């Protein structure tokens, strides 16, 4: 009887996994999420499923649920870089910059990642911690790995997005910091550096236009 129950449980789990893979092929996040919940209902000790669940929630813009799933993983594996970064980006996406910052600090240390340090600077900027933001961005600029990195920049309330070199993004952020500190000349200089690195970069061009008004 026990063996029969175990076989049925395994068969059910195999079916859930098949449903998950089929849903992913069709881009059906809702069904994929449901299959992960079904797997966890069968065996809640399999915290690897929370990892997948967190990614699915994040990709479908369900950020609070993504954070909750990530925390289930981090309770058992505090150095899980993927879930630390997911938590950072999910908190940032919902405007919880103060909560995002310690996670970006951990990503920067665990992954030796200059983009995470840049995102920390972004959070500090929105928290109006301009001196701290400047320190973070200057570290990004000084990091040799920054020259090889790119990222997606959202602007105009994320209605527009553009891929740009991280170094250009860092100089643009430094320009914004200098503007907020009342140093228009330094702001103009740093926006110019961002454009020199990436002439097609729309955001620093717009920031320079604002300085002219």
């Amino acid at each position: 009887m026990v063996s029969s129950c175990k076989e049925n449980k395994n068969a059910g789990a195999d079916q859930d996994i098949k449903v998950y893979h089929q849903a992913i092929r069709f881009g059906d996040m809702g069904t994929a999420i449901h299959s992960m919940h079904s797997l966890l209902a069968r065996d809640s000790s399999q915290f690897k499923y929370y990892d997948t669940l967190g990614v699915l929630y994040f990709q479908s813009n369900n950020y609070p649920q993504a954070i909750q799933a990530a925390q289930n993983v981090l309770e058992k594996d505090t150095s899980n870089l993927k879930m630390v970064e997911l938590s950072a980006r999910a908190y940032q996406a919902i405007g919880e910059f103060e909560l995002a910052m310690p996670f970006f600090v951990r990503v920067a240390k665990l992954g030796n990642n200059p983009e995470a340090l840049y995102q920390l600077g972004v959070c500090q900027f929105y928290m109006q911690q301009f001196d701290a933001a400047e320190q973070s961005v200057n570290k990004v600029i000084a990091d040799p790995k920054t020259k090889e990195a790119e990222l997606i920049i959202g602007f105009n309330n994320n209605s527009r997005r553009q891929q740009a070199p991280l170094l250009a993004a860092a100089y643009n952020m430094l320009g914004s910091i200098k503007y907020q500190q009342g140093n228009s000349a330094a702001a103009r200089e740093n926006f110019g550096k961002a454009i020199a690195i990436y002439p097609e970069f729309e955001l620093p061009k717009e920031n320079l236009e604002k300085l002219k008004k």
Side-chain angles (χ1 to χ4, degrees):
M1 187 68 160
V2 174
S3 177
S4 177
C5 288
K6 187 175 181 180
E7 288 174 4
N8 288 338
K9 183 178 179 180
N10 289 339
D14 289 343
Q15 182 65 19
D16 287 333
I17 291 170
K18 288 180 181 178
V19 170
Y20 163 77
H21 286 296
Q22 180 168 299
I24 291 297
R25 284 198 300 272
F26 279 83
D28 183 351
M29 292 295 151
T31 299
I33 288 169
H34 177 78
S35 67
M36 285 296 107
H37 277 295
S38 183
L39 284 163
L40 284 164
R42 296 178 193 280
D43 187 355
S44 60
S45 68
Q46 296 293 324
F47 72 93
K48 63 183 179 181
Y49 294 136
Y50 282 112
D51 182 303
T52 303
L53 188 60
V55 172
L56 291 170
Y57 274 131
F58 186 87
Q59 290 176 342
S60 53
N61 300 329
N62 292 305
Y63 300 117
Q65 294 88 341
I67 292 165
Q68 187 175 351
Q71 293 313 302
N72 276 278
V73 178
L74 292 172
E75 285 174 6
K76 295 182 179 293
D77 182 6
T78 58
S79 61
N80 186 306
L81 181 58
K82 183 167 70 171
M83 290 296 102
V84 174
E85 184 170 7
L86 185 146
S87 298
R89 293 186 180 277
Y91 276 125
Q92 186 183 41
I94 59 176
E96 293 285 359
F97 302 115
E98 189 171 6
L99 294 174
M101 287 193 293
F103 285 99
F104 278 124
V105 170
R106 289 171 66 186
V107 176
K109 290 180 179 178
L110 286 169
N112 195 19
N113 185 339
E115 185 188 341
L117 200 55
Y118 168 83
Q119 297 297 348
L120 173 63
V122 171
C123 291
Q124 291 166 330
F125 177 85
Y126 283 115
M127 292 288 294
Q128 298 186 343
Q129 299 174 5
F130 300 123
D131 289 342
E134 183 175 358
Q135 290 178 13
S136 296
V137 173
N138 279 330
K139 288 178 183 177
V140 175
I141 291 170
D143 192 329
K145 294 189 297 299
T146 298
K147 294 179 180 179
E148 308 300 323
E150 294 191 344
L151 77 168
I152 302 293
I153 297 286
F155 51 105
N156 290 355
N157 294 320
N158 276 329
S159 63
R160 296 162 61 193
R161 298 169 70 82
Q162 185 178 20
Q163 185 167 331
L166 177 57
L167 186 59
Y171 275 118
N172 176 72
M173 175 55 64
L174 188 56
S176 296
I177 292 166
K178 291 299 184 184
Y179 177 78
Q180 291 296 328
Q181 292 172 331
N183 190 338
S184 295
R188 187 176 295 105
E189 179 184 356
N190 283 288
F191 292 142
K193 286 180 180 179
I195 295 168
I197 293 166
Y198 182 40
E200 304 304 315
F201 200 179
E202 296 178 25
L203 187 54
K205 289 180 179 180
E206 291 184 3
N207 286 334
L208 276 176
E209 287 300 316
K210 290 176 184 176
L211 278 176
K212 294 176 182 178
K213 296 178 180 178

